Amino acid sequence: MTTTASQEAFLQAFHAEYPAVTAEAFGRGRAPDGRSSYEILCDRVAGGRRVLDLGCGDGLLLELLAREDGRQLAGVDLSAHSLALARRRSALRGARLEEGRAQELPFADDSFDACVSHLALMLMGEIEQVAAEVARVLSPRGVLVCAVGGGAVGGEAYDRFVRLLRHTVEEMPAAQRIPALGDRRTRSREGFDEVLGPAGFAPVDWETVPIDLSGPVEQVWACVSGLYDLGPLDGAAVERLREAFFAGVEDITTPQGLVPCAFRIHVVTARLR
């Protein structure tokens, strides 16, 4: 099995079990201005009439995009299970929702004014082919806007969870760990330019935004435990991690019972030349 095929097989299996995990984990998070990471992407494509969501999952971002009347919306995702949830959203009855790969988009040339992707592009292999396909289906001067993970904010619960998780994963046999996902170039501005430039995009606009996920410890655990790395862990290992996390955030829990938790996203905007 090729690297990309093994990545995609893992993602399909994970989302078969957790079809709405990304929206459940990050949908309630808020930037300092009060917007969710999903709403930030919506605002970046305001006025776009034909919008594609790349890696649309359970359809939360598309539902928000549907608030602007008259839009033609489409979404593509590897997971049939996630798409089944998207199809249940009444706002998406007119949307075209396709099971498929970003490397082989099932849409005609010049089909969209804008393409959005929330924490999905960074998971994709064969990233040059993804860029070429996005450029193909966008109209001239079309725009790509995506959110990619930017890591933990030091000292808060997300950071502490990542360190605990890393220790747990290091103790696992290598054969049981998840495959390396995505292309490292999607973690930096320079990398994005390297990938998108040859496909016809101008240099990217890059903005780093902290997203606040603070709340009661059970709520914060529900957010952080949605990471893909937990996929191979058995129930006992997850419970040990949960207990270690609860103990590990006691000292930062406020008297009101809130656990400070934040992570960063990078909002990447690129327009076709």
Side-chain angles (χ1 to χ4, degrees), residues 201-217:
F201 288 91
V204 304
D205 176 77
W206 181 272
E207 180 185 6
T208 301
V209 182
I211 300 294
D212 184 13
L213 296 167
S214 301
V217 66

Side-chain angles (χ1 to χ4, degrees), residues 155-167:
E156 296 195 352
Y158 196 85
D159 176 51
R160 297 185 182 199
F161 173 76
V162 168
R163 283 188 274 128
L164 288 169
L165 177 60
R166 187 178 299 122
H167 178 71

